[in-house]
Amino acid sequence: MKFTEKINLEEFNGKKYKIRIVEAENDEAILTHYLHNNKNGVSKFYKKDAINFAKTLIQYKYPEENITDKVAEEAIQYGLFDSFQVPFPPLESPKFTFIDLFAGIGGFRLAMQNLGGKCIYSSEWDKEAKKTYKANFGETPFGDITKESTKSYIPDNFDVLCAGFPCQAFSIAGKRGGFEDTRGTLFFDVAEIIKRKKPKAIFLENVKGLRSHDKGRTLETILNVLRNDLGYFVPDPEIINAKDFGVPQNRERIYIVGFRNDLGIKNFSYPKPFERKVSFAEVKEENVVSTKYYLSTQYLITLRNHKERHQSKGNGFGYNIIKDEEIAGAVVCGGMGRERNLVYDYRITDFTPITKIKGVVNREGIRKMTPREWARLQGFPDNYVIPVADASAYKQFGNSVAVPAIQATANEILKKLNYVK
């Protein structure tokens, strides 16, 4: 097992303790998962290791005391490690259970909780994303899902497996394109978990390009594994656009839905687009934003020159300014994700540069969107906490799923399972 060398009780109860101990990679995940499940049968998957970790923490705080399992368990029960004072705590009386793989910052989780679900396991390897996830849900996701030590904590008998898994290439040339041919890819880890746990339903999300990747053979292999190797009814995947589900963002993603064959479900319809369309004006910051989001004159010149060079070659690359009545392009990681979603905002009053820039702050009212605007473009409510620096926030929202589109699709899945009407 991998070990790191730091732990701070501030992560659990808001107090600072100057201690250093050896921490197993998933200890905090185990403890927070136990806290969120200690009143249901799922707690047995976490209880022993959670109590051991709690003992270790308390022992370092009170080195002269004899800390027993009973003392540690009582400390947990009395809220010493409380992690429920967050915007989106787990539901008291859930209608169904699910697990959240490649969880990111919890877009799937938010959608599923909105529909009455309880997350009983989450996994995410990125440390900054885990920080955001915990700030909002009170739970630290487990780490690298490719490791058996991480998979071993997944409980049995959950209803829905959710995964926005990254698309990796895998070669199927000259092969059947079955379960074994996906080894070495992250989809294999998802498939392996499905094979072990046999959830009632699966809900996978990926980039639109998965449909055409390797001339369609990658998607064909995935569907073959789900349908033939794992025994799921999987209707043809659908390309879903976030702009059709209440957010002003042109974001197309492929959704793959499946139901265990023994449930007898033989048909499924993806959700119909909402009638009401929204524009950027509905997610725009209500107040004047910091000058740091406004572009410098020199930066604008650079962007315009870059765009002109590409246009002269017949390419469509370059910056783009979204008007209030328009919808944004897809928010993605990297500088171009922000540069292709610039906006006009003439409310600026202080043109004094906050950061070190070349030139001066532009007088055309051109600025980047803020992280909160990106959050709204992805359907995250305003009480969703953004505890990280802007650079990390842009990355996290750019990698996230669009919550309303996920929720609309999940609602159709749950109808088939008779969890919602």
Side-chain angles (χ1 to χ4, degrees):
M1 182 178 290
K2 180 182 176 181
F3 289 88
T4 57
E5 219 196 27
K6 64 173 184 174
I7 187 64
N8 192 322
L9 281 184
E10 182 181 22
E11 296 294 325
F12 298 107
N13 61 5
K15 299 179 182 179
K16 294 184 178 181
Y17 296 83
K18 294 181 180 179
I19 58 174
R20 291 179 66 84
I21 66 172
V22 176
E23 177 210 359
E25 183 181 24
N26 285 317
D27 272 346
E28 190 176 325
I30 293 166
L31 181 53
T32 53
H33 277 71
Y34 177 69
L35 290 169
H36 284 201
N37 292 283
N38 69 350
K39 294 180 181 179
N40 60 36
V42 177
S43 62
K44 65 184 179 183
F45 291 92
Y46 309 118
K47 183 175 182 178
K48 180 180 177 182
D49 291 341
I51 290 174
N52 284 338
F53 185 46
K55 273 177 61 178
T56 304
L57 293 174
I58 299 169
Q59 191 70 69
Y60 270 86
K61 174 62 178 174
Y62 303 103
E64 303 302 321
E65 302 292 331
N66 178 30
I67 308 301
T68 64
D69 285 1
K70 183 178 180 181
V71 169
E73 189 168 5
E74 288 178 349
I76 292 173
Q77 298 297 335
Y78 283 108
L80 178 62
F81 304 105
D82 174 54
S83 65
F84 295 89
Q85 301 304 310
V86 289
F88 310 101
L91 302 182
E92 289 288 336
S93 302
K95 299 175 182 177
F96 63 95
T97 57
F98 66 96
I99 68 170
D100 191 10
L101 305 180
F102 307 99
I105 57 174
F108 261 109
R109 179 167 184 154
L110 192 57
M112 300 299 274
Q113 284 192 189
N114 287 343
L115 294 170
K118 179 177 179 61
C119 182
I120 60 171
Y121 179 89
S122 58
S123 172
E124 168 58 43
W125 70 272
D126 185 86
K127 291 182 179 179
E128 289 295 294
K130 291 169 81 166
K131 181 188 300 183
T132 302
Y133 196 100
K134 187 184 177 187
N136 285 281
F137 302 104
E139 180 180 282
T140 300
F142 283 83
D144 188 350
I145 198 62
T146 65
K147 297 180 178 180
E148 182 56 37
S149 59
T150 303
K151 290 190 185 85
S152 66
Y153 285 99
I154 301 176
D156 299 326
N157 301 320
F158 56 89
D159 296 307
V160 186
L161 177 146
C162 302
F165 71 100
C167 176
Q168 291 174 299
F170 46 85
S171 175
I172 59 172
K175 301 180 181 180
R176 289 181 58 253
F179 188 81
E180 297 302 319
D181 295 330
T182 65
R183 285 189 179 276
T185 72
L186 293 173
F187 172 73
F188 172 80
D189 294 286
V190 175
E192 188 179 32
I193 292 166
I194 295 171
K195 184 177 182 180
R196 291 184 190 181
K197 301 298 180 178
K198 290 292 182 182
K200 292 178 181 177
I202 56 175
F203 185 6
L204 311 180
E205 183 262 9
N206 211 300
V207 294
K208 177 185 176 182
L210 177 64
R211 188 166 64 175
S212 57
H213 186 268
D214 195 17
K215 299 180 180 179
R217 288 191 286 264
T218 298
L219 180 57
E220 182 182 354
T221 299
I222 289 172
L223 295 178
N224 182 47
V225 169
L226 296 175
R227 289 167 175 166
N228 300 322
D229 292 2
L230 299 178
Y232 281 74
F233 162 68
V234 181
D236 290 338
E238 188 100 349
I239 302 295
I240 299 291
N241 197 325
K243 71 176 184 180
D244 294 326
F245 294 92
V247 291
Q249 179 193 180
N250 184 28
R251 186 185 191 85
E252 293 181 299
R253 292 294 185 270
I254 190 170
Y255 287 4
I256 303 172
V257 168
F259 301 92
R260 206 173 61 212
N261 280 339
D262 66 315
L263 298 177
I265 298 171
K266 299 299 182 184
N267 59 77
F268 176 79
S269 296
Y270 284 87
K272 294 180 180 179
F274 297 172
E275 290 184 6
R276 181 176 178 271
K277 305 299 180 183
V278 298
S279 65
F280 175 70
E282 296 188 45
V283 302
K284 192 172 186 177
E285 293 277 11
E286 295 84 357
N287 302 312
V288 179
V289 305
S290 171
T291 306
K292 70 179 180 178
Y293 295 109
Y294 283 80
L295 275 59
S296 70
T297 53
Q298 185 60 50
Y299 190 29
L300 269 177
I301 291 172
T302 301
L303 290 178
R304 284 167 175 158
N305 290 340
H306 177 264
K307 187 167 186 174
E308 288 174 3
R309 283 196 302 271
H310 280 287
Q311 285 180 334
S312 67
K313 299 176 182 178
N315 299 326
F317 301 120
Y319 75 97
N320 191 38
I321 304 177
I322 308 299
K323 298 176 182 177
D324 283 3
E325 65 274 15
E326 296 177 335
I327 66 169
V331 293
V332 295
C333 297
M336 284 307 297
R338 295 190 287 276
E339 292 163 2
R340 292 185 67 82
N341 279 304
L342 301 175
V343 295
Y344 288 112
D345 191 339
Y346 303 106
R347 296 173 294 177
I348 182 173
T349 56
D350 184 359
F351 291 90
T352 305
I354 293 177
T355 57
K356 294 180 180 179
I357 62 173
K358 292 183 179 180
V360 296
V361 176
N362 82 90
R363 297 309 199 262
E364 300 174 57
I366 299 173
R367 66 167 174 84
K368 299 179 292 186
M369 291 185 191
T370 66
R372 180 59 65 188
E373 287 168 335
W374 273 36
R376 293 169 181 167
L377 287 176
Q378 291 283 49
F380 287 83
D382 282 357
N383 62 329
Y384 186 88
V385 176
I386 305 175
V388 295
D390 282 0
S392 290
Y394 285 123
K395 177 183 176 183
Q396 290 172 12
F397 288 114
N399 277 333
S400 180
V401 295
V403 176
I406 291 289
Q407 187 167 322
T409 306
N411 192 60
E412 299 304 314
I413 296 171
L414 296 169
K415 284 180 182 178
K416 288 294 183 180
L417 297 175
N418 295 317
Y419 289 126
V420 299
K421 293 182 180 180

